[in-house]
Amino acid sequence: MNEREAMARALDLAWRGWGRVQPNPLVGAVVLQNGEPVGEGWHPEFGDRHAEAVALARAGEQARGATMVVTLEPCSHQGKQPPCTEAIIRSGIRRVVAALPDPNPAAAGGGDRLREAGVEVELGPLSDAAAAQNAIFLHSLAPTTHPYVALKLATTLDGRIADGYGRSRWISGAESRDYVQWLRAGFDAIAVGGRTARLDDPSLTVRGKVQPRVPPRRVVFDSAADLGPQLTLIRTASEVPTLAVVSPKADVSRVKRLEAGGVTVLRAGTLDESLQSLYGLGIRSLLIEGGGQLAGALMGAGLVNRYYWFQSPLWLGDGGVPALAGLPSRHLEQAQRWRVIERQVLGEDTLLVLDRP
């Protein structure tokens, strides 16, 4: 196994912390001795041992003179866990290869500390993949007033998210729906538009194999505050934190009815203001799951950071509900070309994961 292959393995290992380590980053590590992996690990839980410490423990004495390949520059500060740099130095590791420098000012400088101790350090291999994996973490350290916004849509071949009657169950297959349950576990909140809430009556909870350390909050964007008490989101608001983002002009009696049911109501005039309000409540990452009007408005306003697009092999025709409604027209030379970071086959569906340029 060469260092690049080891880094790919470390990235795979890091995903095992999804939904459990936030707000910490996902990190994986592999210890190589003469090209053979002798220890590997990942950060499994917020507050638990870091990936480097787990990999070193598994490598034992075989770490002496070896190379550590890790997805993020080892930390050099005392937090909930001791500095990884000191454990690496004590182990006798000769060389450290990290995909990304640590952007957290409190933890940065690990590479310099290792070099001071005589450890060879290289930064950069598979850095694009590592940055894509930790996009939410990196966004949280950037100067911003908005959550990291990911849009998830399951569409037909002709770009529809529901038929003419508003029915969308099920466009995507079982494998895609399982993936979505996994995906939800890594976000602070899951959101839909008011029409989707009324037509689909979703629960927006995580019901997959990964149980998130902190269950995501639920958000409904409904300008008129027209959400009946029979909806699952409203009926269970006292059990699962639920927010409704409504217009400043929304009927006062409707707002009071939602609040009486345990819903937190935010008044905002624009989507930009809505996201700022959610950010102010501690929501650093937001997964949007429809519908077409909300998705189109967010995309058109440039507020989407990542798009999870599930394409299913059927079509519904012009009477179907478009996935992205109301997008402004652009000339071809003005169009943004999004960056594909992942392609995956899920049963009969295809998943494309794209980042905004």
Side-chain angles (χ1 to χ4, degrees), residues 4-344:
R4 190 176 182 86
E5 291 168 336
M7 186 66 77
R9 171 62 178 167
L11 287 166
D12 285 343
L13 291 168
W15 281 120
R16 300 186 187 187
W18 179 255
R20 304 300 306 177
V21 303
Q22 289 87 337
N24 285 354
L26 298 160
V27 184
V30 175
V31 177
L32 289 179
Q33 182 66 266
N34 297 320
E36 293 295 326
V38 294
E40 61 182 29
W42 63 93
H43 182 33
E45 187 86 16
F46 179 76
D48 205 341
R49 289 192 302 169
H50 291 182
E52 299 95 320
V54 176
L56 288 173
R58 290 176 176 169
E61 285 300 314
Q62 294 183 87
R64 190 158 300 279
T67 295
M68 172 173 283
V69 178
V70 60
T71 57
L72 186 68
E73 178 186 14
C75 66
S76 61
H77 80 303
Q78 176 69 51
K80 287 183 168 53
Q81 294 291 323
C84 291
T85 50
E86 303 313 304
I88 292 170
I89 292 166
R90 288 194 304 271
S91 74
I93 286 283
R94 177 186 60 83
R95 171 175 162 82
V96 170
V97 180
L100 288 178
D102 195 328
N104 186 347
D112 291 338
R113 171 70 186 107
L114 292 170
R115 291 186 185 98
E116 289 171 3
V119 178
E120 182 183 345
V121 177
E122 179 184 350
L123 298 176
L126 298 188
S127 59
D128 287 348
Q133 181 178 67
N134 269 314
I136 293 173
F137 172 72
L138 297 175
H139 181 88
S140 73
L141 295 173
T144 182
T145 58
H146 292 174
Y148 181 89
V149 176
L151 173 63
K152 185 279 296 181
L153 293 175
T155 81
T156 60
L157 295 173
D158 54 342
R160 309 295 169 178
I161 57 172
D163 65 17
Y165 299 97
R167 297 174 301 194
S168 60
R169 294 182 179 175
W170 293 105
I171 286 176
S172 58
E175 294 87 351
S176 293
R177 298 196 295 274
D178 286 344
Y179 182 98
V180 170
Q181 293 300 326
W182 173 85
L183 184 64
R184 286 177 174 181
F187 284 83
D188 290 341
I190 307 165
V192 294
R195 186 171 185 269
T196 298
R198 287 185 287 273
L199 286 175
D200 290 355
D201 193 22
S203 61
L204 301 187
T205 54
V206 180
R207 302 180 298 279
K209 294 180 180 178
V210 175
Q211 288 303 305
R213 186 178 68 86
V214 179
R217 284 178 269 184
R218 307 181 301 188
V219 179
V220 185
F221 290 85
D222 187 56
S223 59
D226 187 22
L227 300 167
Q230 79 284 358
L231 295 176
T232 300
L233 292 170
I234 309 306
R235 283 192 296 103
T236 60
S238 60
E239 304 164 21
V240 183
T242 305
L243 301 93
V245 182
V246 307
S247 165
K249 299 178 181 178
D251 183 82
V252 174
S253 63
R254 290 179 177 175
V255 170
K256 288 183 177 179
R257 183 180 66 199
L258 290 174
E259 291 175 332
V263 177
T264 299
V265 178
L266 303 176
R267 290 185 179 269
T270 66
L271 282 174
D272 187 81
E273 292 173 3
S274 301
L275 294 178
Q276 290 186 48
S277 295
L278 293 171
Y279 189 86
L281 292 176
I283 293 175
R284 297 295 182 261
S285 58
L286 181 65
L287 179 64
I288 307 287
E289 296 201 0
Q293 292 290 338
L294 176 61
L298 286 165
M299 187 73 83
L303 296 172
V304 175
N305 300 97
R306 177 168 290 176
Y307 183 14
Y308 292 90
W309 182 12
F310 297 84
Q311 300 167 303
S312 297
L314 67 160
W315 57 269
L316 292 172
D318 291 343
V321 178
L324 297 164
L327 281 176
S329 298
R330 284 180 173 172
H331 296 299
L332 183 59
E333 60 270 18
Q334 298 172 329
Q336 291 182 323
R337 189 173 295 275
W338 285 48
R339 184 165 59 94
V340 177
I341 63 169
E342 184 181 349
R343 292 181 176 90
Q344 186 177 162

